[in-house]
Amino acid sequence: MLDLNELKAKGIIAQKQEGYFVLRFLSRAGYFDANEMQHLADLAHKYGNGKMGLTSRLTLEIPYIKEESLEEVLKFCKERNLRIGGGGPSVRAILTCKGTVCKHGLVDTDKLAREMEDRFLMRQLPGKFKISILGCPNSYGKAQGNDLAFLAVRKIQLDEASCILCQKCIRVCPDKAFTVDEGTLLLDEEKCSRCGKCIPVCPVEALHQEEVEFLIFLGGRLGRRSRLATPYHKTCKEDEIMDITEKVLAYYEMVANPKERFAEVIERIGQAEVEHAIFN
Ligand code: SF4
Ligand code: SF4
């Protein structure tokens, strides 16, 4: 008798069509190489119905694998280093954006996501735990829906004395963060999402960007009982991300009840107390 929960935790998911399974394959920070894709396509043709589905966490699923073929399919995957997983009470596939190549990307998201994956992917926890690494404020909404997310931002410095009030920055700013008051340009830091779009348009270099830092989102979740995370009031540097992740996971492991999501832990204990326990 197959243990369906145990199989699901390994990325082998029973379909509602009896006798069939979906296999979930893990990408590497959102990428499969061409050889892997070729093997996956071969697998879908040989053992599935020829279709491959994409998921919101950058994994790839092949449905309609017959129960009697499972052993042979797992052997096929092992021989070709195709990684099956992404289920159960554990750190799920790391969600990232294409910040490494995207012109808006402020950091090498691919490198960070791979490091995160090497250290934490599939770590067993009381419940499922979703982590994302995102390269600019355009992904703010994605950060809000994860148990833990790091979102790269740049703080903007305005040199009011150099400003000639050409208003070019005002026109490009998507957040309407600039105003003019009695002949002086003002920047509202609360409104500024730190996207950096205003910097290159300034003709007199009155706008400068500070070092990239990361907003830290705790306790977001989507689904039936969604909770949008808000960022912690302090930011972190790139070299602090892995240590903070370790602390958050260790705390969650210590206080969460079985199957309790981090969002529920925060609601039960209180955001301030959770932040205090993790960051102090
Ligand atoms: S960094 Fe972006 S949001 Fe902030 S002031 Fe410049 S254009 Fe506006
Ligand atoms: S683009 Fe530069 S000079 Fe023009 S208003 Fe903005 S800060 Fe001032």
Side-chain angles (χ1 to χ4, degrees):
M1 187 71 178
L2 294 175
D3 182 336
L4 295 184
N5 283 333
E6 197 179 307
L7 286 177
K8 191 177 175 190
K10 292 178 180 167
I12 304 164
I13 305 151
Q15 287 183 209
K16 64 182 180 182
Q17 292 84 3
E18 206 175 329
Y20 288 99
F21 287 81
V22 175
L23 261 58
R24 181 180 292 161
F25 293 88
L26 296 165
S27 67
R28 196 82 171 105
Y31 288 97
F32 291 98
D33 71 34
N35 285 337
E36 283 176 308
M37 275 299 198
Q38 192 67 58
H39 293 318
L40 290 165
D42 290 346
L43 194 156
H45 277 303
K46 190 168 176 189
Y47 299 103
N49 67 350
K51 295 204 184 321
M52 303 190 285
L54 302 173
T55 73
S56 59
R57 292 205 78 77
L58 310 175
T59 64
L60 184 147
E61 293 184 346
I62 299 186
Y64 285 98
I65 306 292
K66 286 187 183 145
E67 185 178 328
E68 56 266 32
S69 308
L70 271 181
E71 205 176 311
E72 194 179 326
V73 171
L74 295 180
K75 187 165 171 274
F76 176 101
C77 296
K78 196 170 175 198
E79 286 168 359
R80 291 158 184 81
N81 292 321
L82 299 172
R83 299 183 309 156
I84 300 171
S90 65
V91 174
R92 297 296 185 86
I94 309 300
L95 181 71
T96 189
C97 64
K98 297 293 181 276
T100 302
V101 293
C102 170
K103 64 181 179 178
H104 302 296
L106 299 172
V107 291
D108 186 348
T109 46
D110 190 50
K111 174 179 127 321
L112 283 169
R114 282 166 185 259
E115 190 180 345
M116 187 70 88
E117 200 184 290
D118 288 343
R119 290 187 57 165
F120 304 111
L121 182 69
M122 303 293 280
R123 176 157 156 183
Q124 294 302 297
L125 292 167
K128 63 179 158 186
F129 200 96
K130 298 181 176 180
I131 301 175
S132 68
I133 303 255
L134 302 156
C136 86
N138 289 343
S139 290
Y140 201 91
K142 282 186 204 153
Q144 288 176 304
N146 279 259
D147 295 280
L148 171 64
F150 296 92
L151 179 112
V153 292
R154 269 194 206 280
K155 195 170 179 193
I156 303 299
Q157 279 290 336
L158 166 62
D159 175 8
E160 289 162 9
S162 305
C163 173
I164 57 170
L165 271 185
C166 72
Q167 307 211 357
K168 286 185 178 171
C169 58
I170 298 178
R171 286 196 286 277
V172 298
C173 176
D175 296 322
K176 302 197 179 348
F178 292 107
T179 50
V180 179
D181 185 38
E182 297 183 358
T184 304
L185 183 74
L186 302 175
L187 171 60
D188 184 339
E189 290 194 4
E190 291 291 311
K191 285 188 180 171
C192 172
S193 62
R194 310 180 195 188
C195 66
K197 285 188 197 310
C198 53
I199 293 167
V201 302
C202 178
V204 292
E205 297 185 356
L207 294 160
H208 304 275
Q209 50 197 14
E210 295 185 345
E211 197 183 339
V212 172
E213 50 192 25
F214 290 81
L215 301 180
I216 308 163
F217 294 76
L218 298 174
R221 68 175 290 182
L222 299 176
R224 197 172 286 200
R225 281 182 290 135
S226 64
R227 177 184 189 271
L228 295 183
T230 49
Y232 179 54
H233 68 278
K234 286 186 190 160
T235 54
C236 75
K237 303 285 185 216
E238 184 171 325
D239 61 6
E240 296 173 303
I241 286 178
M242 299 304 152
D243 283 350
I244 290 172
T245 303
E246 181 59 50
K247 280 184 190 162
V248 172
L249 293 181
Y251 176 78
Y252 173 65
E253 202 166 7
M254 184 175 71
V255 301
N257 298 315
K259 292 192 174 177
E260 189 180 29
R261 291 290 300 272
F262 194 33
E264 292 161 333
V265 169
I266 291 174
E267 278 159 12
R268 172 165 61 81
I269 295 177
Q271 179 101 22
E273 199 167 321
V274 169
E275 288 178 355
H276 182 79
I278 292 169
F279 295 106
N280 291 293

